[in-house]
Amino acid sequence: MWMLHTPEGAEFPFTFRILPGNIRTVGRATGANFIVEAPMVSRVHCRLTAGAAELEVVDLDSTNGTFVNGQRVPRALLKTGDRLGVGRVELTVSRAADDVPPEGPLQG
């Protein structure tokens, strides 16, 4: 599972999770999958496509642009530690385990 989160104490705190095989939109509109109500965020700002080994972001003609590690991008592949900028919100990309093994001995 991919996670995007703002740093602790951020003015606009957000945490989003996306499983491989899913596509999500980010924006201010109620129709966006991940709603970011913050300055300079377009109604439908960008699209995230999660794969098993990659997370792709595509800017959807947002007014103020989509940024990866401070650089404006039309499209980019994100990796753990990258910073995704949407308006005044900066989200850090990380991975969480997709499958957590059960605790205790295996039963057969």
Side-chain angles (χ1 to χ4, degrees):
M1 172 182 353
W2 291 96
M3 295 182 62
L4 296 106
H5 55 88
T6 52
E8 239 181 87
E11 181 180 1
F12 303 101
F14 295 99
T15 299
F16 301 119
R17 294 170 180 82
I18 182 170
L19 291 169
N22 286 290
I23 299 171
R24 298 288 182 259
T25 54
V26 178
R28 284 185 298 108
T30 56
N33 301 114
F34 296 150
I35 298 174
V36 177
E37 190 61 49
M40 300 172 63
V41 176
S42 294
R43 283 174 276 173
V44 182
H45 199 99
C46 62
R47 181 181 64 235
L48 297 167
T49 303
E54 70 282 330
L55 179 63
E56 180 186 45
V57 61
V58 176
D59 183 79
L60 298 176
D61 296 323
S62 64
T63 302
N64 294 300
T66 298
F67 293 79
V68 175
N69 300 325
Q71 298 294 315
R72 189 172 183 158
V73 296
R75 165 187 303 253
L77 289 178
L78 303 171
K79 61 187 181 304
T80 297
D82 282 346
R83 297 177 332 273
L84 174 63
V86 179
R88 289 191 178 168
V89 175
E90 187 169 86
L91 300 157
T92 301
V93 177
S94 62
R95 290 289 309 258
D98 292 327
D99 296 306
V100 178
E103 292 185 22
L106 294 176
Q107 299 183 9

